[in-house]
């Protein structure tokens, strides 16, 4: 068994930030990450541009300097690797946490590679590994994807993008630029207000000029190997589709959180936690990052989630000081 002061599950930006804050208290911290460091960002589209400025994405008082105000995916990968190196973070990547159990000595954290004992545990797992599923026949076919990487393979292919927020619009733009024939199906009646303001005019122009077909108030009924059947205000329609991108969002791993003893709101999916300390309904078990938002992932981003580590560290610091005073 490996003993440490704190275990952080997830090495995304918010997990890294929490690790830095706890290390600054003098605690020994181990981060366990089932993928690679900042795995969600690694899985972003190759040419993804962030909504935020680099300054708002920085952690650990280490500046994130880029030539352009809004960094791209690769800029972020380089930055967070550099932070991990400079802060000498102990990151166990490619390791999956199987269980977290509370005991008298703190927590026993069991992974597929080791067993750890820690006084504190921070869950910073994000939500990107759990895509929302389509309620449609054929949704599990192999050409239906919940992640978009690059458009090049779809040159002169018929692509259907399901969704109307940033990930869907970004995918549609990339596909159209690569020469795909693109149809976007969105259940909303108008463009989402969450779409990045600097890309919406260009997307609208493509729609208005017939380069991208936009179907509002549409719902997908059936997906076959080469078609998508959609219900629209004008009736049901069959659309040719060589590939389907279901960009309809993601959610936290509710089962994983529940198995730790964290109470979850049945409607919002939000874990029960104190927003002033980020401590959950289990003593000394904390959450950091977007999982605090439950189903409403658009309310927490790197910009505000990176500060969760500060709240956690301040709470632990006070408890340590009280223990010494006793």
């Amino acid at each position: 068994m490996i003993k440490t002061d704190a275990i952080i599950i997830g090495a995304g930006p918010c997990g890294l930030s929490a690790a830095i804050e706890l290390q600054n208290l003098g605690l020994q911290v181990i981060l366990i990450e089932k993928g690679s460091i900042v795995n969600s960002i690694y899985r972003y589209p190759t040419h993804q541009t962030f909504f935020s400025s680099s300054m708002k994405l920085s952690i650990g008082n280490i500046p994130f300097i880029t030539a352009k105000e809004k960094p791209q995916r690769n800029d972020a990968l380089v930055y967070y690797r550099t932070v991990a190196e400079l802060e000498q973070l102990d990151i166990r990547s490619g390791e999956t946490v199987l269980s977290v159990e509370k005991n008298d000595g703190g927590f026993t954290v069991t992974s597929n590679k080791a067993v750890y004992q820690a006084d504190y545990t921070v869950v910073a797992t994000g939500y990107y590994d759990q895509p929302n599923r389509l309620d449609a026949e054929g949704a599990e076919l192999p050409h239906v994807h919940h992640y978009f990487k690059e458009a090049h393979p779809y040159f002169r292919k018929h692509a259907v993008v399901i969704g109307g927020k940033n990930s869907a619009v970004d995918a549609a733009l990339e596909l159209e630029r690569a020469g795909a024939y693109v149809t976007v199906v969105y259940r909303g009646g108008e463009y989402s207000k969450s779409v990045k303001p600097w890309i919406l005019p260009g997307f609208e122009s493509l729609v208005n000029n017939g380069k991208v077909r936009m179907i509002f108030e549409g719902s997908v009924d059936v997906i076959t190997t080469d078609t998508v059947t959609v219900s629209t205000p004008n009736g049901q329609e069959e659309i040719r589709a060589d590939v389907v991108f279901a960009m309809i969002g993601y959610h936290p791993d509710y089962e994983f959180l529940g198995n730790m003893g964290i109470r979850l709101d049945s409607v919002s999916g939000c874990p029960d936690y104190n927003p002033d300390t980020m401590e959950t309904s289990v003593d000394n078990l904390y959450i950091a990052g977007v999982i605090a938002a439950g189903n409403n992932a658009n309310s927490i981003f790197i910009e505000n989630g990176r500060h969760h580590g500060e709240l956690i560290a301040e709470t632990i610091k006070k408890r340590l000081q009280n223990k010494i005073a006793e």
Side-chain angles (χ1 to χ4, degrees), residues 16 21 44 64-65 70 82 97 146 171 191 196 274 285 315:
L16 298 179
E21 297 297 332
Y44 282 178
F64 185 179
I65 300 171
K70 298 186 185 303
T82 302
V97 172
H146 293 273
Y191 294 109
K196 291 173 278 195
N274 183 337
L285 178 58
T315 302

Side-chain angles (χ1 to χ4, degrees), residues 147-161:
Y147 301 94
F148 176 81
K149 196 68 175 178
E150 291 193 55
H152 174 75
Y154 309 107
F155 171 65
R156 291 186 179 172
K157 297 289 187 180
H158 290 264
V160 171
V161 179

Side-chain angles (χ1 to χ4, degrees), residues 260-293:
M260 297 182 204
I262 299 174
R263 293 191 295 266
L264 300 169
D265 185 275
S266 60
V267 177
S268 68
C270 287
D272 184 2
Y273 74 99
N274 183 337
D276 295 325
T277 65
M278 304 309 296
E279 188 172 26
T280 69
S281 49
V282 179
D283 290 344
N284 290 323
L285 178 58
Y286 302 85
I287 56 175
V290 71
I291 61 168

Side-chain angles (χ1 to χ4, degrees), residues 12-14 37-59 64 66 68-81 127-128 149 166-167 170 174 194-199 300-304 306:
C14 297
I37 178 176
V38 293
N39 197 59
S40 293
I41 295 175
Y42 167 71
R43 297 179 71 178
Y44 282 178
T46 302
H47 306 295
Q48 177 79 46
T49 298
F50 282 83
F51 186 92
S52 298
S53 66
S54 55
M55 182 179 296
K56 292 182 178 180
L57 299 174
S58 62
I59 60 174
F64 185 179
T66 54
K68 296 180 180 179
E69 180 186 4
K70 298 186 185 303
Q72 291 188 309
R73 166 186 170 272
N74 198 52
D75 298 323
L77 294 178
V78 172
Y79 169 72
Y80 291 117
R81 289 200 307 266
Y127 63 93
Y128 203 54
K149 196 68 175 178
N166 282 306
S167 59
D170 284 339
E174 288 289 327
S194 69
V195 176
K196 291 173 278 195
W198 64 87
I199 67 170
I300 296 179
F301 304 92
I302 298 172
E303 303 96 295
N304 48 8
R306 63 183 174 148

